[in-house]
Amino acid sequence: MYAVIKAGGKQHKVKAGDVLEIELMHADGDTVTFQPILVVDDDGKTHYGKEAAQAVVTAKLLGEQKGDKVHVFKYKNKSGYARRQGHRQLMTLIEIADVKLGSAPKRVAAQKPAAKRATEPAKDDAAEPEAAEAAE
C-alpha cells in the first residue's frame, strides 16, 4: 500500500519503511501524522477525496540536516556586475512507519432545534383585547 502526501509544499509518494527528506518542520513529539491526498491499497484500488481523507500516514522523526548546496550566480555582460551566493536548506528526515486506510467514520446527524409553533395564543394576549373592549 502506498500513499501520496503533501509536506512542505511538495507531494511525495510514500510507503511503509521509506526514509524521506522534507522541508524543515517543527514537531512536538517523535511521530508525525499526515492526511494523504491519494491512497492505493494492496489490491490496486485507488482511494481519493473523502475516502483518502479517512486514511492516516504516520512517520517517525529521525532528525534534521542540511540539503544540497544551491549556487546562485548573477551576471550582467559588459558592466562588471557579478554576484555569487550559496544556500543550503534545512531538511527534516522522516521514516514512514505505517499507511492505514481508515474505515468510514460514523456520522451523527445534527438535530436542528424544533421551531416553536404558536398554536394557542398566550393567556395574557387573549385577556388584553377583552379588557380593551370593556374599557371603551
Side-chain angles (χ1 to χ4, degrees):
M1 179 180 300
Y2 69 88
V4 177
I5 62 170
K6 189 172 185 179
K10 298 174 181 69
Q11 294 180 3
H12 302 277
K13 178 181 171 184
V14 297
K15 61 182 178 181
D18 285 353
V19 176
L20 285 177
E21 210 178 52
I22 61 173
E23 288 191 21
L24 184 67
M25 63 183 302
H26 300 285
D28 295 333
D30 294 337
T31 60
V32 180
T33 59
F34 296 99
Q35 296 296 325
I37 298 170
L38 175 113
V39 178
V40 177
D41 62 11
D42 294 330
D43 298 332
K45 184 177 180 191
T46 305
H47 304 275
Y48 59 93
K50 290 181 182 179
E51 295 174 350
Q54 300 164 5
V56 176
V57 175
T58 57
K60 184 173 81 170
L61 293 175
L62 299 179
E64 296 175 357
Q65 69 180 21
K66 287 188 175 181
D68 295 335
K69 187 162 191 168
V70 177
H71 297 280
V72 179
F73 182 68
K74 297 179 181 180
Y75 174 76
K76 290 191 179 176
N77 194 16
K78 299 178 185 175
S79 65
Y81 177 81
R83 298 287 181 264
R84 290 179 180 84
Q85 184 179 2
H87 176 74
R88 291 185 72 184
Q89 182 71 34
L90 290 174
M91 307 295 265
T92 300
L93 281 174
I94 60 171
E95 180 182 2
I96 304 299
D98 195 18
V99 177
K100 288 185 183 178
L101 185 62
S103 60
K106 295 180 181 177
R107 293 187 180 182
V108 178
Q111 295 181 2
K112 295 180 182 178
K116 294 182 181 179
R117 295 181 186 170
T119 54
E120 296 179 19
K123 293 180 182 179
D124 295 335
D125 295 339
E128 289 178 15
E130 294 172 6
E133 289 177 10
E136 291 178 13

